[in-house]
Amino acid sequence: MTYRRAVIPALVGGLLITLLLWWAGASEQALQLRGATSVFDIDSVSELRRWLAPWSYDPPTGSLSDGAAGGDTASAGAARYSELYGTAMQIRFVAVFVFFLAGALLLVHRIPPTQGRTPATLLAVWAWAPVAATLAVTVSAPWLIASGGHGSYRFLPQLAGVIASSGPVAVFAGLLTALATVLVARLTVKGAEPRPRQSVPARAARLAASAGTAVVALSVVILSYQSVAARIQTSFGGGGLLSEPGDLLRQWLLLGAWTGPATGPLGDWLLYRAADVLMLAVVWWTLRLLPGLLTRTTVPAMVVGAVCATVCGLLASQVLHMAIDDTVDVWGPVHLFSELGTGVPAALTFGILAGLAALVTLRSAGSRDTRESLGEGAAEVPR
């Protein structure tokens, strides 16, 4: 699919996810009504408000932008903070549109929904939605922190908290957006000449998938181990504005958290480790298929595809965690989805590295396979 055709579904998807997130943020006001607790229990209402708060134009309760006593000077200062919060939200929604548009345009162009690629396109666009939301939250975070009136205090931990706040809303909105984007892409691709799928040597594809999965496993198996994660978070001291950078590093480096079997029953430990195995299996299988799905294995396409593969693996592991979670009776059914979409910043970090590693391995292994096949063919030619 050409970029001219791909831009139409990408625009539709960008507008749709922006509207869905805006609508979700506007719905946060309804949860403040008195009758909300008669529909949901108190814990579920609090959890839903936490989900929707990052996309709400209403400043959080207790911030300086809510107003303060002290005369006209305090009121004018509160108004300025409120305007700054509004600016942060404007930047956030514009950024989520731009980031989703850019990623969806590349994905639909390189993985057009033809020749059996439609499920892959759908999953890739869906996985890109929480990535676009995370990037939008990150870009708008400085303005949002400043609107609270204490941006100079522990800025990096505050930044880490804001980045981690996009929540499950982006995952649910991304699913609806992916469905609409792929549907429009299917309509726009009609009449276009289908581009053939690439022929990738099986050995090269397996080696590339193994190299990319090894990069992701570095975060899942090594960096996410409790002692290593604690060292990452506490070994970087500091003071003032840039205090505690470990909180920020934890968001961008750790895809999970686990300890040795000595801290709990071995059966429970193995059950939770099965989620990590599932994640790595999904990443490996997706990276194994990715070169053959792409119309051309360019660096941006492999990097974005690897990021989507990592996010898909992350979501699969979180769904398995949901299946074995036994706290629904305590915290309510909404709490079951509370962890959905966490870890996307780290998935972005290691997805980029995994894509680069897979591409380098693919090209080196592919060229070696080509040389070997040419050598064998030359040996068969009679003199």
Side-chain angles (χ1 to χ4, degrees):
M1 180 185 290
T2 62
Y3 277 115
R4 182 175 59 86
R5 291 177 180 268
V7 73
I8 299 175
L11 278 172
V12 171
L15 290 173
L16 182 58
I17 192 172
T18 305
L19 290 175
L20 287 174
L21 292 176
W22 176 85
W23 173 76
S27 301
E28 196 260 346
Q29 297 180 5
L31 296 175
Q32 302 178 17
L33 301 177
R34 183 175 300 176
T37 53
S38 63
V39 180
F40 303 99
D41 57 88
I42 297 178
D43 293 329
S44 296
V45 169
S46 300
E47 187 67 21
L48 287 173
R49 290 187 63 184
R50 184 182 70 83
W51 291 9
L52 302 178
W55 307 103
S56 174
Y57 264 90
D58 291 336
T61 305
S63 66
L64 292 178
S65 57
D66 290 334
D72 296 338
T73 303
S75 299
R80 286 194 292 269
Y81 282 117
S82 180
E83 293 175 358
L84 189 58
Y85 183 89
T87 301
M89 298 310 299
Q90 292 171 8
I91 294 172
R92 180 165 297 185
F93 283 109
V94 172
V96 75
F97 171 78
V98 172
F99 283 123
F100 184 86
L101 173 64
L105 180 61
L106 179 63
L107 289 171
V108 174
H109 173 64
R110 292 300 180 194
I111 313 177
T114 58
Q115 298 181 341
R117 294 189 184 102
T118 302
T121 309
L122 178 63
L123 290 175
V125 176
W126 181 25
W128 182 253
V131 176
T134 298
L135 291 174
V137 167
T138 304
V139 169
S140 61
W143 286 268
L144 192 71
I145 294 172
S147 68
H150 44 77
S152 61
Y153 174 70
R154 300 178 74 243
F155 176 76
L156 293 183
Q158 291 187 75
L159 182 61
V162 173
I163 292 172
S165 67
S166 59
V169 176
V171 179
F172 295 129
L175 179 58
L176 297 177
T177 302
L179 291 171
T181 302
V182 173
L183 178 61
V184 175
R186 292 276 296 179
L187 296 176
T188 56
V189 80
K190 288 184 177 180
E193 183 179 354
R195 301 185 65 174
R197 298 180 65 166
Q198 290 194 119
S199 178
V200 181
R203 175 176 172 274
R206 288 193 296 267
L207 289 175
S210 300
T213 305
V215 174
V216 178
L218 174 65
S219 174
V220 176
V221 178
I222 299 177
L223 299 183
S224 295
Y225 189 70
Q226 187 181 53
S227 59
V228 180
R231 186 174 296 275
I232 290 174
Q233 191 168 357
T234 59
S235 295
F236 300 89
L241 182 65
L242 301 181
S243 63
E244 300 184 23
D247 288 348
L248 188 61
L249 289 175
R250 175 174 53 85
Q251 291 294 332
W252 293 93
L253 295 180
L254 304 186
L255 278 167
W258 61 284
T259 60
T263 58
L266 180 59
D268 293 344
W269 182 86
L270 291 175
L271 190 60
Y272 276 92
R273 296 292 66 76
D276 297 332
V277 174
L278 175 63
M279 176 182 177
L280 295 177
V282 170
V283 171
W284 187 91
W285 183 250
T286 307
L287 291 178
R288 165 68 178 82
L289 299 178
L290 181 61
L293 294 171
L294 295 173
T295 57
R296 185 183 175 189
T297 52
T298 61
V299 174
M302 283 294 293
V303 166
V304 174
V307 169
C308 294
T310 309
V311 174
C312 284
L314 182 66
L315 293 177
S317 68
Q318 290 170 351
V319 170
L320 182 56
H321 275 294
M322 290 163 49
I324 61 179
D325 191 2
D326 58 353
T327 61
V328 179
D329 296 335
V330 179
W331 298 104
V334 177
H335 179 76
L336 183 65
F337 301 94
S338 60
E339 298 300 321
L340 197 63
T342 59
V344 173
L348 176 61
T349 300
F350 286 93
I352 293 174
L353 297 176
L356 294 174
L359 181 61
V360 171
T361 306
L362 180 67
R363 289 182 175 177
S364 61
S367 61
R368 185 165 56 249
D369 289 343
T370 302
R371 288 195 302 268
E372 291 176 356
S373 62
L374 289 176
E376 291 174 0
E380 294 174 358
V381 176
R383 295 183 179 180

